[in-house]
Amino acid sequence: MTSEKPTRGGSRPGAGRKPGTGLYGEPTQTLRLPVSSVPVVKDFLAAYQARHRPGRFPPAIDVCASAQNPVRMKLPLFGTRVPAGFPSPADDYMEATLDLNEYLVQDRHTTYFVKVKGHSMTGAGIFDGDMLVVNRALEPLPGKIIVAVVDGELTVKRLAFENGRPVLQAQNPHFKDIVLKDTQELQCWGVVTSTIRKLV
Amino acid sequence: MTSEKPTRGGSRPGAGRKPGTGLYGEPTQTLRLPVSSVPVVKDFLAAYQARHRPGRFPPAIDVCASAQNPVRMKLPLFGTRVPAGFPSPADDYMEATLDLNEYLVQDRHTTYFVKVKGHSMTGAGIFDGDMLVVNRALEPLPGKIIVAVVDGELTVKRLAFENGRPVLQAQNPHFKDIVLKDTQELQCWGVVTSTIRKLV
DNA sequence: TCATTTGATTATTGTCACAGTATTCAATAC
DNA sequence: GTATTGAATACTGTGACAATAATCAAATGA
């Protein structure tokens, strides 16, 4: 321990942290939120931050399941007319019975389920935690929402083509589209046929 | 226009705004976010506010009863890891089985389906043509999305309470909320537990 | 009598400001 | 040539402030 005056360091022109080197690469601002929502928003921001990191696409899918052995289960489906009382199977109001598997699974051998992670598809009405029904036998046409693998990352995006190149469009203006380069391979795992969201 | 000193008003003990009268009914705090995420978070907060707005004690709501019909099923469920190839039932990725009916139908005796018409619930991610899974055995608590009959009209709205009165909130700023008057009867047909949307 | 007006009081809310931290630069030391 | 160092500058979390909103009860006026 000395009290000598150091001779290194000092004023330098052009020194200082460079702009855009923060967590998000863009300006920030403060927003007032209810305290109970803070952890939720922080989780969202973590995904938001990761999504903006160049060259990396965090997985958007959590759970995969296949529809191999569906069983029938019929439940009442009511029509659009307003019944005078609560509808019962004997009423004319009942339009049909509905089997969810029958309704949602075209072909049990080519259908599976995945769970959505992240907020990149909110513009298409697909939210974090939604369950998707995917049919891998369907052709990935432009405009369809597909499950795809790009650079080893599993994502859910809307398929489009620009200048002959496939583009995986995020349906949220704050997430970047994925424009495939010649060196990148697009592996399609199927077309999303339905979305399911649990509310309770 | 006079300059006389008014004699009304003045200091009062116990005056002042009451705690918990804000948008969320709870304390708030500031959080720093990237500017591009601000509209996304604000949208989220709007829904969050509707979800968490504390209601008063619920009035008498008629929960009607009836329905039936059974059967069951089981389907394979795959693990959370991203598989290197397409998952199949023979893979180690299969972790359990998923049954769509089991996943979406808590009690087949109290569950039915309805199809949405109109755009009044788009703010809650419920769109025209969506299929709703409704459980009429669940209690219509504030914040839940319910199927209700008001003045003979069958509607899907979010339930809330203002000044002790039930309010059916449309989740679309272009639709009006339904504030129930004393002469009006609110007949609840159940709580929406899931939404299903077919894309193809 | 009773509904309305009024100013003080207090909570909420959007925004700014500040201190502490992180990053970068280039001269100096080794 | 490489590592160290202090200054410079941006980022980040939190506190503070002013403007707004809500509430109360006395005074007012019909």
Side-chain angles (χ1 to χ4, degrees), chain A residues 29 31 33 36 48 64 71-73 89 101 125 174 193 197-199, chain B residues 26 29 31 33 36 48 68 71-73 78 101 103 125 193 197-199:
Chain A
Q29 75 175 72
L31 196 68
L33 334 158
S36 69
Y48 195 87
C64 299
V71 178
R72 296 308 165 93
M73 183 190 216
N101 289 318
H174 302 101
T193 61
R197 174 162 52 262
K198 299 191 82 167
L199 299 179
Chain B
E26 62 172 306
Q29 75 176 71
L31 197 66
L33 335 157
S36 70
Y48 194 89
Q68 78 315 306
V71 183
R72 305 191 323 189
M73 60 169 135
F78 291 87
N101 290 328
Y103 181 66
T193 62
R197 174 161 52 259
K198 297 192 83 167
L199 300 179

PDB file of all heavy atoms in Angstrom, chain A residues 29 31 33 36 48 64 71-73 89 101 125 174 193 197-199, chain B residues 26 29 31 33 36 48 68 71-73 78 101 103 125 193 197-199:
ATOM      1  N   GLN A  29     -36.979   2.790 -21.223  1.00  0.00           N
ATOM      2  CA  GLN A  29     -37.737   3.774 -20.463  1.00  0.00           C
ATOM      3  C   GLN A  29     -38.372   3.059 -19.290  1.00  0.00           C
ATOM      4  O   GLN A  29     -38.429   1.833 -19.241  1.00  0.00           O
ATOM      5  CB  GLN A  29     -38.803   4.432 -21.331  1.00  0.00           C
ATOM      6  CG  GLN A  29     -40.006   3.551 -21.604  1.00  0.00           C
ATOM      7  CD  GLN A  29     -41.084   4.297 -22.362  1.00  0.00           C
ATOM      8  OE1 GLN A  29     -40.941   4.581 -23.549  1.00  0.00           O
ATOM      9  NE2 GLN A  29     -42.165   4.607 -21.693  1.00  0.00           N
ATOM     10  N   LEU A  31     -41.581   2.202 -16.778  1.00  0.00           N
ATOM     11  CA  LEU A  31     -43.028   2.032 -16.859  1.00  0.00           C
ATOM     12  C   LEU A  31     -43.501   1.579 -15.480  1.00  0.00           C
ATOM     13  O   LEU A  31     -42.829   0.792 -14.819  1.00  0.00           O
ATOM     14  CB  LEU A  31     -43.365   0.990 -17.919  1.00  0.00           C
ATOM     15  CG  LEU A  31     -44.803   0.936 -18.427  1.00  0.00           C
ATOM     16  CD1 LEU A  31     -45.125   2.181 -19.230  1.00  0.00           C
ATOM     17  CD2 LEU A  31     -44.989  -0.302 -19.280  1.00  0.00           C
ATOM     18  N   LEU A  33     -45.889  -0.495 -13.104  1.00  0.00           N
ATOM     19  CA  LEU A  33     -46.691  -1.717 -13.170  1.00  0.00           C
ATOM     20  C   LEU A  33     -47.136  -2.115 -11.774  1.00  0.00           C
ATOM     21  O   LEU A  33     -46.483  -1.762 -10.794  1.00  0.00           O
ATOM     22  CB  LEU A  33     -45.882  -2.895 -13.735  1.00  0.00           C
ATOM     23  CG  LEU A  33     -44.710  -2.681 -14.650  1.00  0.00           C
ATOM     24  CD1 LEU A  33     -43.824  -3.891 -14.604  1.00  0.00           C
ATOM     25  CD2 LEU A  33     -45.203  -2.475 -16.043  1.00  0.00           C
ATOM     26  N   SER A  36     -47.470  -7.267  -8.536  1.00  0.00           N
ATOM     27  CA  SER A  36     -47.638  -8.699  -8.768  1.00  0.00           C
ATOM     28  C   SER A  36     -47.358  -9.070 -10.210  1.00  0.00           C
ATOM     29  O   SER A  36     -47.145 -10.242 -10.514  1.00  0.00           O
ATOM     30  CB  SER A  36     -49.067  -9.130  -8.396  1.00  0.00           C
ATOM     31  OG  SER A  36     -49.997  -8.587  -9.315  1.00  0.00           O
ATOM     32  N   TYR A  48     -37.580 -11.665 -24.383  1.00  0.00           N
ATOM     33  CA  TYR A  48     -37.453 -10.583 -25.354  1.00  0.00           C
ATOM     34  C   TYR A  48     -35.983 -10.285 -25.625  1.00  0.00           C
ATOM     35  O   TYR A  48     -35.568 -10.123 -26.765  1.00  0.00           O
ATOM     36  CB  TYR A  48     -38.145  -9.358 -24.774  1.00  0.00           C
ATOM     37  CG  TYR A  48     -38.429  -8.261 -25.764  1.00  0.00           C
ATOM     38  CD1 TYR A  48     -39.596  -8.280 -26.513  1.00  0.00           C
ATOM     39  CD2 TYR A  48     -37.556  -7.206 -25.924  1.00  0.00           C
ATOM     40  CE1 TYR A  48     -39.881  -7.274 -27.406  1.00  0.00           C
ATOM     41  CE2 TYR A  48     -37.824  -6.193 -26.813  1.00  0.00           C
ATOM     42  CZ  TYR A  48     -38.991  -6.236 -27.549  1.00  0.00           C
ATOM     43  OH  TYR A  48     -39.264  -5.231 -28.424  1.00  0.00           O
ATOM     44  N   CYS A  64     -43.887 -32.047 -26.658  1.00  0.00           N
ATOM     45  CA  CYS A  64     -44.361 -32.687 -27.869  1.00  0.00           C
ATOM     46  C   CYS A  64     -45.148 -33.926 -27.497  1.00  0.00           C
ATOM     47  O   CYS A  64     -44.767 -34.678 -26.619  1.00  0.00           O
ATOM     48  CB  CYS A  64     -43.196 -33.086 -28.784  1.00  0.00           C
ATOM     49  SG  CYS A  64     -42.213 -31.697 -29.344  1.00  0.00           S
ATOM     50  N   VAL A  71     -59.413 -41.853 -28.468  1.00  0.00           N
ATOM     51  CA  VAL A  71     -60.619 -42.542 -28.030  1.00  0.00           C
ATOM     52  C   VAL A  71     -61.786 -41.593 -28.198  1.00  0.00           C
ATOM     53  O   VAL A  71     -61.632 -40.376 -28.113  1.00  0.00           O
ATOM     54  CB  VAL A  71     -60.481 -43.006 -26.561  1.00  0.00           C
ATOM     55  CG1 VAL A  71     -61.754 -43.676 -26.100  1.00  0.00           C
ATOM     56  CG2 VAL A  71     -59.302 -43.925 -26.423  1.00  0.00           C
ATOM     57  N   ARG A  72     -62.935 -42.132 -28.448  1.00  0.00           N
ATOM     58  CA  ARG A  72     -64.095 -41.283 -28.688  1.00  0.00           C
ATOM     59  C   ARG A  72     -64.647 -40.710 -27.387  1.00  0.00           C
ATOM     60  O   ARG A  72     -64.688 -41.386 -26.378  1.00  0.00           O
ATOM     61  CB  ARG A  72     -65.189 -42.087 -29.396  1.00  0.00           C
ATOM     62  CG  ARG A  72     -64.782 -42.546 -30.775  1.00  0.00           C
ATOM     63  CD  ARG A  72     -64.273 -41.363 -31.578  1.00  0.00           C
ATOM     64  NE  ARG A  72     -63.547 -41.779 -32.763  1.00  0.00           N
ATOM     65  CZ  ARG A  72     -64.123 -41.913 -33.941  1.00  0.00           C
ATOM     66  NH1 ARG A  72     -65.394 -41.666 -34.079  1.00  0.00           N
ATOM     67  NH2 ARG A  72     -63.421 -42.280 -34.986  1.00  0.00           N
ATOM     68  N   MET A  73     -65.069 -39.501 -27.437  1.00  0.00           N
ATOM     69  CA  MET A  73     -65.719 -38.859 -26.299  1.00  0.00           C
ATOM     70  C   MET A  73     -66.620 -37.773 -26.845  1.00  0.00           C
ATOM     71  O   MET A  73     -66.155 -36.773 -27.367  1.00  0.00           O
ATOM     72  CB  MET A  73     -64.697 -38.247 -25.361  1.00  0.00           C
ATOM     73  CG  MET A  73     -65.299 -37.623 -24.122  1.00  0.00           C
ATOM     74  SD  MET A  73     -64.059 -36.696 -23.258  1.00  0.00           S
ATOM     75  CE  MET A  73     -64.507 -36.970 -21.579  1.00  0.00           C
ATOM     76  N   PRO A  89     -79.831 -32.637 -23.537  1.00  0.00           N
ATOM     77  CA  PRO A  89     -79.722 -33.492 -24.729  1.00  0.00           C
ATOM     78  C   PRO A  89     -81.052 -33.701 -25.431  1.00  0.00           C
ATOM     79  O   PRO A  89     -81.088 -33.996 -26.625  1.00  0.00           O
ATOM     80  CB  PRO A  89     -79.189 -34.804 -24.158  1.00  0.00           C
ATOM     81  CG  PRO A  89     -78.459 -34.394 -22.937  1.00  0.00           C
ATOM     82  CD  PRO A  89     -79.215 -33.228 -22.368  1.00  0.00           C
ATOM     83  N   ASN A 101     -61.189 -35.127 -30.090  1.00  0.00           N
ATOM     84  CA  ASN A 101     -60.171 -35.767 -30.930  1.00  0.00           C
ATOM     85  C   ASN A 101     -60.600 -35.796 -32.379  1.00  0.00           C
ATOM     86  O   ASN A 101     -59.817 -35.510 -33.288  1.00  0.00           O
ATOM     87  CB  ASN A 101     -59.917 -37.189 -30.426  1.00  0.00           C
ATOM     88  CG  ASN A 101     -59.192 -37.169 -29.108  1.00  0.00           C
ATOM     89  OD1 ASN A 101     -58.270 -36.391 -28.910  1.00  0.00           O
ATOM     90  ND2 ASN A 101     -59.611 -38.014 -28.194  1.00  0.00           N
ATOM     91  N   GLY A 125     -52.753 -14.592 -32.639  1.00  0.00           N
ATOM     92  CA  GLY A 125     -53.632 -15.146 -31.622  1.00  0.00           C
ATOM     93  C   GLY A 125     -53.066 -16.373 -30.944  1.00  0.00           C
ATOM     94  O   GLY A 125     -53.798 -17.138 -30.333  1.00  0.00           O
ATOM     95  N   HIS A 174     -42.397  -6.926 -32.611  1.00  0.00           N
ATOM     96  CA  HIS A 174     -41.186  -6.753 -31.827  1.00  0.00           C
ATOM     97  C   HIS A 174     -40.257  -7.955 -31.911  1.00  0.00           C
ATOM     98  O   HIS A 174     -39.244  -7.997 -31.223  1.00  0.00           O
ATOM     99  CB  HIS A 174     -41.551  -6.448 -30.381  1.00  0.00           C
ATOM    100  CG  HIS A 174     -42.408  -5.236 -30.253  1.00  0.00           C
ATOM    101  ND1 HIS A 174     -43.772  -5.321 -30.077  1.00  0.00           N
ATOM    102  CD2 HIS A 174     -42.119  -3.928 -30.331  1.00  0.00           C
ATOM    103  CE1 HIS A 174     -44.268  -4.106 -30.032  1.00  0.00           C
ATOM    104  NE2 HIS A 174     -43.295  -3.237 -30.181  1.00  0.00           N
ATOM    105  N   THR A 193     -52.644 -26.995 -37.136  1.00  0.00           N
ATOM    106  CA  THR A 193     -54.042 -27.054 -37.557  1.00  0.00           C
ATOM    107  C   THR A 193     -54.977 -26.429 -36.531  1.00  0.00           C
ATOM    108  O   THR A 193     -56.070 -25.990 -36.885  1.00  0.00           O
ATOM    109  CB  THR A 193     -54.470 -28.507 -37.802  1.00  0.00           C
ATOM    110  OG1 THR A 193     -54.337 -29.248 -36.588  1.00  0.00           O
ATOM    111  CG2 THR A 193     -53.599 -29.151 -38.869  1.00  0.00           C
ATOM    112  N   ARG A 197     -56.064 -23.079 -25.883  1.00  0.00           N
ATOM    113  CA  ARG A 197     -55.591 -22.305 -24.731  1.00  0.00           C
ATOM    114  C   ARG A 197     -56.483 -22.590 -23.536  1.00  0.00           C
ATOM    115  O   ARG A 197     -57.695 -22.494 -23.616  1.00  0.00           O
ATOM    116  CB  ARG A 197     -55.605 -20.813 -25.048  1.00  0.00           C
ATOM    117  CG  ARG A 197     -55.255 -19.938 -23.853  1.00  0.00           C
ATOM    118  CD  ARG A 197     -54.855 -18.540 -24.270  1.00  0.00           C
ATOM    119  NE  ARG A 197     -55.807 -17.906 -25.150  1.00  0.00           N
ATOM    120  CZ  ARG A 197     -55.698 -17.845 -26.479  1.00  0.00           C
ATOM    121  NH1 ARG A 197     -54.673 -18.362 -27.082  1.00  0.00           N
ATOM    122  NH2 ARG A 197     -56.623 -17.248 -27.182  1.00  0.00           N
ATOM    123  N   LYS A 198     -55.844 -22.942 -22.438  1.00  0.00           N
ATOM    124  CA  LYS A 198     -56.596 -23.164 -21.199  1.00  0.00           C
ATOM    125  C   LYS A 198     -56.679 -21.853 -20.437  1.00  0.00           C
ATOM    126  O   LYS A 198     -55.679 -21.159 -20.252  1.00  0.00           O
ATOM    127  CB  LYS A 198     -55.920 -24.232 -20.341  1.00  0.00           C
ATOM    128  CG  LYS A 198     -55.842 -25.580 -21.040  1.00  0.00           C
ATOM    129  CD  LYS A 198     -55.429 -26.678 -20.100  1.00  0.00           C
ATOM    130  CE  LYS A 198     -56.608 -27.185 -19.288  1.00  0.00           C
ATOM    131  NZ  LYS A 198     -56.283 -28.466 -18.605  1.00  0.00           N
ATOM    132  N   LEU A 199     -57.860 -21.542 -19.972  1.00  0.00           N
ATOM    133  CA  LEU A 199     -58.076 -20.262 -19.303  1.00  0.00           C
ATOM    134  C   LEU A 199     -58.173 -20.409 -17.788  1.00  0.00           C
ATOM    135  O   LEU A 199     -57.928 -19.453 -17.060  1.00  0.00           O
ATOM    136  CB  LEU A 199     -59.375 -19.612 -19.803  1.00  0.00           C
ATOM    137  CG  LEU A 199     -59.439 -19.294 -21.289  1.00  0.00           C
ATOM    138  CD1 LEU A 199     -60.776 -18.686 -21.639  1.00  0.00           C
ATOM    139  CD2 LEU A 199     -58.315 -18.350 -21.667  1.00  0.00           C
TER     140      LEU A 199
ATOM    141  N   GLU B  26     -53.644  -2.545  -6.176  1.00  0.00           N
ATOM    142  CA  GLU B  26     -52.460  -2.980  -5.441  1.00  0.00           C
ATOM    143  C   GLU B  26     -51.355  -1.969  -5.707  1.00  0.00           C
ATOM    144  O   GLU B  26     -51.459  -1.161  -6.630  1.00  0.00           O
ATOM    145  CB  GLU B  26     -52.027  -4.375  -5.883  1.00  0.00           C
ATOM    146  CG  GLU B  26     -51.636  -4.447  -7.350  1.00  0.00           C
ATOM    147  CD  GLU B  26     -51.022  -5.791  -7.707  1.00  0.00           C
ATOM    148  OE1 GLU B  26     -50.052  -6.166  -7.029  1.00  0.00           O
ATOM    149  OE2 GLU B  26     -51.518  -6.445  -8.631  1.00  0.00           O
ATOM    150  N   GLN B  29     -44.962  -0.256  -9.064  1.00  0.00           N
ATOM    151  CA  GLN B  29     -43.559   0.143  -9.047  1.00  0.00           C
ATOM    152  C   GLN B  29     -43.142   0.376 -10.486  1.00  0.00           C
ATOM    153  O   GLN B  29     -43.830  -0.037 -11.420  1.00  0.00           O
ATOM    154  CB  GLN B  29     -42.691  -0.922  -8.393  1.00  0.00           C
ATOM    155  CG  GLN B  29     -42.453  -2.140  -9.258  1.00  0.00           C
ATOM    156  CD  GLN B  29     -41.495  -3.123  -8.607  1.00  0.00           C
ATOM    157  OE1 GLN B  29     -41.823  -3.782  -7.641  1.00  0.00           O
ATOM    158  NE2 GLN B  29     -40.293  -3.179  -9.138  1.00  0.00           N
ATOM    159  N   LEU B  31     -40.517  -0.003 -13.667  1.00  0.00           N
ATOM    160  CA  LEU B  31     -39.612  -1.001 -14.230  1.00  0.00           C
ATOM    161  C   LEU B  31     -39.074  -0.430 -15.541  1.00  0.00           C
ATOM    162  O   LEU B  31     -39.808   0.233 -16.278  1.00  0.00           O
ATOM    163  CB  LEU B  31     -40.368  -2.297 -14.489  1.00  0.00           C
ATOM    164  CG  LEU B  31     -39.556  -3.575 -14.696  1.00  0.00           C
ATOM    165  CD1 LEU B  31     -38.829  -3.958 -13.419  1.00  0.00           C
ATOM    166  CD2 LEU B  31     -40.463  -4.696 -15.153  1.00  0.00           C
ATOM    167  N   LEU B  33     -37.810  -0.797 -19.284  1.00  0.00           N
ATOM    168  CA  LEU B  33     -37.991  -1.718 -20.401  1.00  0.00           C
ATOM    169  C   LEU B  33     -37.440  -1.104 -21.673  1.00  0.00           C
ATOM    170  O   LEU B  33     -37.360   0.115 -21.787  1.00  0.00           O
ATOM    171  CB  LEU B  33     -39.474  -2.009 -20.659  1.00  0.00           C
ATOM    172  CG  LEU B  33     -40.511  -1.880 -19.581  1.00  0.00           C
ATOM    173  CD1 LEU B  33     -41.847  -1.669 -20.225  1.00  0.00           C
ATOM    174  CD2 LEU B  33     -40.535  -3.122 -18.751  1.00  0.00           C
ATOM    175  N   SER B  36     -39.251  -0.563 -27.474  1.00  0.00           N
ATOM    176  CA  SER B  36     -40.060  -1.298 -28.449  1.00  0.00           C
ATOM    177  C   SER B  36     -40.978  -2.298 -27.767  1.00  0.00           C
ATOM    178  O   SER B  36     -41.951  -2.753 -28.363  1.00  0.00           O
ATOM    179  CB  SER B  36     -39.160  -2.021 -29.453  1.00  0.00           C
ATOM    180  OG  SER B  36     -38.482  -3.098 -28.841  1.00  0.00           O
ATOM    181  N   TYR B  48     -54.154  -7.726 -17.882  1.00  0.00           N
ATOM    182  CA  TYR B  48     -53.823  -8.039 -16.487  1.00  0.00           C
ATOM    183  C   TYR B  48     -54.732  -7.270 -15.534  1.00  0.00           C
ATOM    184  O   TYR B  48     -55.217  -7.797 -14.538  1.00  0.00           O
ATOM    185  CB  TYR B  48     -52.374  -7.662 -16.237  1.00  0.00           C
ATOM    186  CG  TYR B  48     -51.788  -8.230 -14.965  1.00  0.00           C
ATOM    187  CD1 TYR B  48     -51.181  -9.478 -14.971  1.00  0.00           C
ATOM    188  CD2 TYR B  48     -51.815  -7.518 -13.781  1.00  0.00           C
ATOM    189  CE1 TYR B  48     -50.630  -9.994 -13.828  1.00  0.00           C
ATOM    190  CE2 TYR B  48     -51.263  -8.036 -12.628  1.00  0.00           C
ATOM    191  CZ  TYR B  48     -50.667  -9.269 -12.653  1.00  0.00           C
ATOM    192  OH  TYR B  48     -50.123  -9.767 -11.505  1.00  0.00           O
ATOM    193  N   GLN B  68     -74.296 -34.556 -19.923  1.00  0.00           N
ATOM    194  CA  GLN B  68     -73.905 -35.952 -19.681  1.00  0.00           C
ATOM    195  C   GLN B  68     -73.037 -36.450 -20.816  1.00  0.00           C
ATOM    196  O   GLN B  68     -72.558 -35.666 -21.607  1.00  0.00           O
ATOM    197  CB  GLN B  68     -75.147 -36.814 -19.527  1.00  0.00           C
ATOM    198  CG  GLN B  68     -75.828 -37.170 -20.810  1.00  0.00           C
ATOM    199  CD  GLN B  68     -75.967 -35.987 -21.716  1.00  0.00           C
ATOM    200  OE1 GLN B  68     -76.497 -34.965 -21.315  1.00  0.00           O
ATOM    201  NE2 GLN B  68     -75.443 -36.095 -22.893  1.00  0.00           N
ATOM    202  N   VAL B  71     -66.868 -41.188 -22.121  1.00  0.00           N
ATOM    203  CA  VAL B  71     -65.863 -42.048 -22.752  1.00  0.00           C
ATOM    204  C   VAL B  71     -64.499 -41.479 -22.361  1.00  0.00           C
ATOM    205  O   VAL B  71     -64.431 -40.379 -21.829  1.00  0.00           O
ATOM    206  CB  VAL B  71     -65.974 -42.124 -24.289  1.00  0.00           C
ATOM    207  CG1 VAL B  71     -64.946 -43.093 -24.815  1.00  0.00           C
ATOM    208  CG2 VAL B  71     -67.355 -42.585 -24.726  1.00  0.00           C
ATOM    209  N   ARG B  72     -63.439 -42.175 -22.629  1.00  0.00           N
ATOM    210  CA  ARG B  72     -62.131 -41.698 -22.211  1.00  0.00           C
ATOM    211  C   ARG B  72     -61.058 -42.098 -23.210  1.00  0.00           C
ATOM    212  O   ARG B  72     -61.317 -42.844 -24.134  1.00  0.00           O
ATOM    213  CB  ARG B  72     -61.770 -42.282 -20.837  1.00  0.00           C
ATOM    214  CG  ARG B  72     -62.811 -42.004 -19.782  1.00  0.00           C
ATOM    215  CD  ARG B  72     -62.294 -42.359 -18.434  1.00  0.00           C
ATOM    216  NE  ARG B  72     -61.471 -43.556 -18.489  1.00  0.00           N
ATOM    217  CZ  ARG B  72     -61.054 -44.166 -17.397  1.00  0.00           C
ATOM    218  NH1 ARG B  72     -61.380 -43.691 -16.216  1.00  0.00           N
ATOM    219  NH2 ARG B  72     -60.301 -45.230 -17.476  1.00  0.00           N
ATOM    220  N   MET B  73     -59.861 -41.614 -22.964  1.00  0.00           N
ATOM    221  CA  MET B  73     -58.785 -41.957 -23.901  1.00  0.00           C
ATOM    222  C   MET B  73     -57.434 -41.528 -23.361  1.00  0.00           C
ATOM    223  O   MET B  73     -57.332 -40.759 -22.430  1.00  0.00           O
ATOM    224  CB  MET B  73     -59.038 -41.261 -25.229  1.00  0.00           C
ATOM    225  CG  MET B  73     -59.078 -39.770 -25.122  1.00  0.00           C
ATOM    226  SD  MET B  73     -59.060 -39.021 -26.725  1.00  0.00           S
ATOM    227  CE  MET B  73     -60.299 -37.812 -26.600  1.00  0.00           C
ATOM    228  N   PHE B  78     -44.746 -36.571 -25.337  1.00  0.00           N
ATOM    229  CA  PHE B  78     -43.300 -36.566 -25.485  1.00  0.00           C
ATOM    230  C   PHE B  78     -42.657 -35.605 -24.505  1.00  0.00           C
ATOM    231  O   PHE B  78     -43.296 -34.695 -24.004  1.00  0.00           O
ATOM    232  CB  PHE B  78     -42.898 -36.180 -26.915  1.00  0.00           C
ATOM    233  CG  PHE B  78     -43.268 -37.232 -27.893  1.00  0.00           C
ATOM    234  CD1 PHE B  78     -44.522 -37.240 -28.467  1.00  0.00           C
ATOM    235  CD2 PHE B  78     -42.378 -38.236 -28.197  1.00  0.00           C
ATOM    236  CE1 PHE B  78     -44.867 -38.230 -29.363  1.00  0.00           C
ATOM    237  CE2 PHE B  78     -42.718 -39.229 -29.093  1.00  0.00           C
ATOM    238  CZ  PHE B  78     -43.968 -39.230 -29.674  1.00  0.00           C
ATOM    239  N   ASN B 101     -59.295 -34.997 -24.472  1.00  0.00           N
ATOM    240  CA  ASN B 101     -60.506 -34.834 -23.667  1.00  0.00           C
ATOM    241  C   ASN B 101     -60.166 -34.671 -22.202  1.00  0.00           C
ATOM    242  O   ASN B 101     -60.746 -33.851 -21.496  1.00  0.00           O
ATOM    243  CB  ASN B 101     -61.427 -36.041 -23.868  1.00  0.00           C
ATOM    244  CG  ASN B 101     -62.024 -36.058 -25.262  1.00  0.00           C
ATOM    245  OD1 ASN B 101     -62.257 -35.004 -25.844  1.00  0.00           O
ATOM    246  ND2 ASN B 101     -62.237 -37.246 -25.795  1.00  0.00           N
ATOM    247  N   TYR B 103     -57.411 -33.551 -21.115  1.00  0.00           N
ATOM    248  CA  TYR B 103     -56.698 -32.281 -20.965  1.00  0.00           C
ATOM    249  C   TYR B 103     -57.671 -31.113 -20.897  1.00  0.00           C
ATOM    250  O   TYR B 103     -57.454 -30.156 -20.161  1.00  0.00           O
ATOM    251  CB  TYR B 103     -55.754 -32.116 -22.160  1.00  0.00           C
ATOM    252  CG  TYR B 103     -54.924 -30.864 -22.169  1.00  0.00           C
ATOM    253  CD1 TYR B 103     -53.952 -30.640 -21.200  1.00  0.00           C
ATOM    254  CD2 TYR B 103     -55.092 -29.912 -23.165  1.00  0.00           C
ATOM    255  CE1 TYR B 103     -53.189 -29.503 -21.220  1.00  0.00           C
ATOM    256  CE2 TYR B 103     -54.321 -28.773 -23.193  1.00  0.00           C
ATOM    257  CZ  TYR B 103     -53.368 -28.574 -22.222  1.00  0.00           C
ATOM    258  OH  TYR B 103     -52.615 -27.445 -22.245  1.00  0.00           O
ATOM    259  N   GLY B 125     -58.076 -12.681 -26.683  1.00  0.00           N
ATOM    260  CA  GLY B 125     -57.572 -13.755 -27.524  1.00  0.00           C
ATOM    261  C   GLY B 125     -58.648 -14.720 -27.971  1.00  0.00           C
ATOM    262  O   GLY B 125     -58.342 -15.843 -28.351  1.00  0.00           O
ATOM    263  N   THR B 193     -63.366 -22.614 -19.895  1.00  0.00           N
ATOM    264  CA  THR B 193     -62.112 -23.189 -19.408  1.00  0.00           C
ATOM    265  C   THR B 193     -61.043 -23.258 -20.491  1.00  0.00           C
ATOM    266  O   THR B 193     -59.862 -23.283 -20.176  1.00  0.00           O
ATOM    267  CB  THR B 193     -62.346 -24.603 -18.854  1.00  0.00           C
ATOM    268  OG1 THR B 193     -62.826 -25.448 -19.902  1.00  0.00           O
ATOM    269  CG2 THR B 193     -63.363 -24.580 -17.722  1.00  0.00           C
ATOM    270  N   ARG B 197     -59.128 -22.990 -31.552  1.00  0.00           N
ATOM    271  CA  ARG B 197     -59.275 -22.325 -32.845  1.00  0.00           C
ATOM    272  C   ARG B 197     -58.659 -23.205 -33.930  1.00  0.00           C
ATOM    273  O   ARG B 197     -57.519 -23.651 -33.796  1.00  0.00           O
ATOM    274  CB  ARG B 197     -58.585 -20.958 -32.835  1.00  0.00           C
ATOM    275  CG  ARG B 197     -58.565 -20.281 -34.181  1.00  0.00           C
ATOM    276  CD  ARG B 197     -58.302 -18.794 -34.042  1.00  0.00           C
ATOM    277  NE  ARG B 197     -57.132 -18.483 -33.258  1.00  0.00           N
ATOM    278  CZ  ARG B 197     -57.144 -18.105 -32.018  1.00  0.00           C
ATOM    279  NH1 ARG B 197     -58.264 -17.983 -31.365  1.00  0.00           N
ATOM    280  NH2 ARG B 197     -56.024 -17.853 -31.381  1.00  0.00           N
ATOM    281  N   LYS B 198     -59.440 -23.457 -34.952  1.00  0.00           N
ATOM    282  CA  LYS B 198     -58.925 -24.231 -36.078  1.00  0.00           C
ATOM    283  C   LYS B 198     -58.326 -23.283 -37.094  1.00  0.00           C
ATOM    284  O   LYS B 198     -58.936 -22.272 -37.455  1.00  0.00           O
ATOM    285  CB  LYS B 198     -60.050 -25.061 -36.710  1.00  0.00           C
ATOM    286  CG  LYS B 198     -60.631 -26.087 -35.756  1.00  0.00           C
ATOM    287  CD  LYS B 198     -61.525 -27.079 -36.461  1.00  0.00           C
ATOM    288  CE  LYS B 198     -60.694 -28.189 -37.073  1.00  0.00           C
ATOM    289  NZ  LYS B 198     -61.551 -29.335 -37.498  1.00  0.00           N
ATOM    290  N   LEU B 199     -57.139 -23.606 -37.558  1.00  0.00           N
ATOM    291  CA  LEU B 199     -56.418 -22.714 -38.463  1.00  0.00           C
ATOM    292  C   LEU B 199     -56.490 -23.179 -39.907  1.00  0.00           C
ATOM    293  O   LEU B 199     -56.312 -22.364 -40.810  1.00  0.00           O
ATOM    294  CB  LEU B 199     -54.946 -22.622 -38.049  1.00  0.00           C
ATOM    295  CG  LEU B 199     -54.679 -22.096 -36.641  1.00  0.00           C
ATOM    296  CD1 LEU B 199     -53.188 -22.090 -36.372  1.00  0.00           C
ATOM    297  CD2 LEU B 199     -55.244 -20.707 -36.487  1.00  0.00           C
TER     298      LEU B 199
END
